Structure formats: structure tokens, C-alpha cells
Amino acid sequence: MSLRYHEIAEADHRILNPLTHPKLDLLGQVTRLRPGMRLLDLACGKGEMLCRWARDHGIEGVGVDLSEVFLAGAGERAAELGVGERVRFERGEAATFAKGQAGAGYDVVSCLGATWIGDGLRGTIELMLPALREGGVLLVGEPYWISEPPREAFDALGFGREEFGTLGETLERLESCGVELVEMVMADHDAWDRYMASQWWTLSDWLAANPGDAEAAEIRAFLDRSRRSHLMYGRQYLGWGVFVLRRQAVVSSP
């Protein structure tokens, strides 16, 4: 889905992934945030996580995203919550920005639902680790297969079986990257529905207001695919969660 489609479909969203507001708060708690900690949020969207955690936990940090539309929303949210002096937002490629932050020593580095920035889970973790201080944590939001989907699901969902793993396979992939899973916060069916289904109303309203737009036919096709793929396959086979990670400790032999 193009960035433009995201901007239209998620115009009324604050959180641009299948986390409910209570689960976003829970994630902040399990991450063990403290005042003065620094967060780098890659592909930050509208900056809800960074802004809210700055208000609730006294952290500071930087968010980076490609979308001018989303970043405008992030700036407005920072002003609304009174945290504009503790957070800032940069427009750009998240991967490029992350490479420029090597050695910056962030307490938390996050990438929720955007591991495409590193061409997958492994590449994204490799981008994130250099910016993390020793003892800091990574937050990675990633889909997983709840159960083995039928072949026709992959065409409907728009990605192959190999792009994601089951939870057990995801654990093995994480461990192979040199990180340890220490916590997680998982989306449920309701969170997926709120993320996906609320986009349908937004898209339907956009189509009603823009019937002659050059993109109308593509937006209509996207809306139809979104409904069908979620109801027929996504809700049953595709999960999503945020994995809290830190570097694997080196254990000396006795």
C-alpha cells in the first residue's frame, strides 16, 4: 500500500498499528520508562507513542517518518500534550536516519509495524542496535502467523509465508539476531478490528467526498481488498505484537 493510501486510510487514527490506547499505556509500563530516558522512534507515524510517553513518563526523544501529513499530526499532538520541548520530529528515511544515530546511546529504540525499513526483521534490528546504549531496550512491532494459512491467503494479504513466522519461529529469528526477548504486548482481535475496520469508514467517506478524483478507483479497490482480506484471512491467521528486546548477555563458562 502506498504512503498516500496510508495517509487517507489512517487520517482519523492516532495510533497507526493494531495497539489499543490501553495497550500502548501498558507497553510504556512494561518498558520500565523513567524520567529523562531517551527514545528514538523509527517510522513514528503521528508520534502518539513518543508524545504520550513524554507526558506520562517524563521521557524525551526523536521520531522520524516519511509522511509530512503524519508528522504535521505529530507536531500538533506534541503541542496539545505540552511536550514540544522534550520531543522533536524529523522527516526522512528511517533507515538512513538510524545509521546516522550510531553511538547516540538511546535508552529505547523502537520500530512498530515498519520492519520494511530494514528489508525485514533481521535488517531492522541491525539498524536499531548501534543507536542503543548498553543495557537499553528495543521495541519491535511485528506480525506473526497464528496458525498456518491456506495458500490463497497470501495473495489476499499481499505477502508471503516466509515474510513472518509463527510466534515460535519469531522467537528463533529474534535470538538469531543476538537479542533476548524480555517482554511483549500483543494485539487481540478487537485491536485488529479497531485498526482495520475504522479505516473502512474513513475511506468510504473519502470516496463519497471525492467521486471524481483520479485516485478514486484505486482507493475503492484498496477498500474492497482491505475488508475482504481482513475478514476472510487476516483476523483468523495474522497476529501482531510488540516484542521488548535487549542484547543477549554473554555468559562465561564456569
Side-chain angles (χ1 to χ4, degrees), residues 25 125 145 184 186:
D25 293 338
I125 289 175
W145 298 115
M184 63 184 189
M186 312 304 281

PDB file of all heavy atoms in Angstrom, residues 25 125 145 184 186:
ATOM      1  N   ASP A  25      -0.432   2.208  26.649  1.00  0.00           N
ATOM      2  CA  ASP A  25      -0.061   2.573  28.019  1.00  0.00           C
ATOM      3  C   ASP A  25       0.653   1.409  28.716  1.00  0.00           C
ATOM      4  O   ASP A  25       1.651   1.610  29.422  1.00  0.00           O
ATOM      5  CB  ASP A  25      -1.295   2.983  28.811  1.00  0.00           C
ATOM      6  CG  ASP A  25      -1.920   4.273  28.298  1.00  0.00           C
ATOM      7  OD1 ASP A  25      -1.209   5.061  27.638  1.00  0.00           O
ATOM      8  OD2 ASP A  25      -3.124   4.488  28.540  1.00  0.00           O
ATOM      9  N   ILE A 125      16.562  -4.829  12.997  1.00  0.00           N
ATOM     10  CA  ILE A 125      17.269  -4.911  14.275  1.00  0.00           C
ATOM     11  C   ILE A 125      18.727  -4.484  14.107  1.00  0.00           C
ATOM     12  O   ILE A 125      19.291  -3.793  14.965  1.00  0.00           O
ATOM     13  CB  ILE A 125      17.150  -6.328  14.865  1.00  0.00           C
ATOM     14  CG1 ILE A 125      15.702  -6.566  15.340  1.00  0.00           C
ATOM     15  CG2 ILE A 125      18.122  -6.531  16.021  1.00  0.00           C
ATOM     16  CD1 ILE A 125      15.428  -7.962  15.832  1.00  0.00           C
ATOM     17  N   TRP A 145       2.233 -15.358  12.336  1.00  0.00           N
ATOM     18  CA  TRP A 145       1.160 -16.282  11.924  1.00  0.00           C
ATOM     19  C   TRP A 145       0.594 -16.975  13.149  1.00  0.00           C
ATOM     20  O   TRP A 145       1.325 -17.629  13.893  1.00  0.00           O
ATOM     21  CB  TRP A 145       1.681 -17.312  10.932  1.00  0.00           C
ATOM     22  CG  TRP A 145       2.196 -16.745   9.654  1.00  0.00           C
ATOM     23  CD1 TRP A 145       3.478 -16.777   9.187  1.00  0.00           C
ATOM     24  CD2 TRP A 145       1.435 -16.051   8.662  1.00  0.00           C
ATOM     25  NE1 TRP A 145       3.566 -16.143   7.981  1.00  0.00           N
ATOM     26  CE2 TRP A 145       2.327 -15.682   7.626  1.00  0.00           C
ATOM     27  CE3 TRP A 145       0.091 -15.696   8.541  1.00  0.00           C
ATOM     28  CZ2 TRP A 145       1.918 -14.998   6.484  1.00  0.00           C
ATOM     29  CZ3 TRP A 145      -0.323 -14.999   7.416  1.00  0.00           C
ATOM     30  CH2 TRP A 145       0.584 -14.663   6.403  1.00  0.00           C
ATOM     31  N   MET A 184       6.601  -8.636  26.159  1.00  0.00           N
ATOM     32  CA  MET A 184       5.843  -8.421  24.931  1.00  0.00           C
ATOM     33  C   MET A 184       4.443  -7.937  25.273  1.00  0.00           C
ATOM     34  O   MET A 184       3.919  -8.217  26.349  1.00  0.00           O
ATOM     35  CB  MET A 184       5.779  -9.685  24.067  1.00  0.00           C
ATOM     36  CG  MET A 184       5.065 -10.863  24.688  1.00  0.00           C
ATOM     37  SD  MET A 184       5.166 -12.325  23.608  1.00  0.00           S
ATOM     38  CE  MET A 184       4.023 -13.428  24.471  1.00  0.00           C
ATOM     39  N   MET A 186       0.754  -7.910  23.169  1.00  0.00           N
ATOM     40  CA  MET A 186       0.178  -8.458  21.948  1.00  0.00           C
ATOM     41  C   MET A 186      -1.188  -7.848  21.643  1.00  0.00           C
ATOM     42  O   MET A 186      -2.006  -7.619  22.539  1.00  0.00           O
ATOM     43  CB  MET A 186       0.025  -9.983  22.074  1.00  0.00           C
ATOM     44  CG  MET A 186       1.279 -10.674  22.601  1.00  0.00           C
ATOM     45  SD  MET A 186       2.762 -10.319  21.612  1.00  0.00           S
ATOM     46  CE  MET A 186       2.500 -11.426  20.234  1.00  0.00           C
TER      47      MET A 186
END
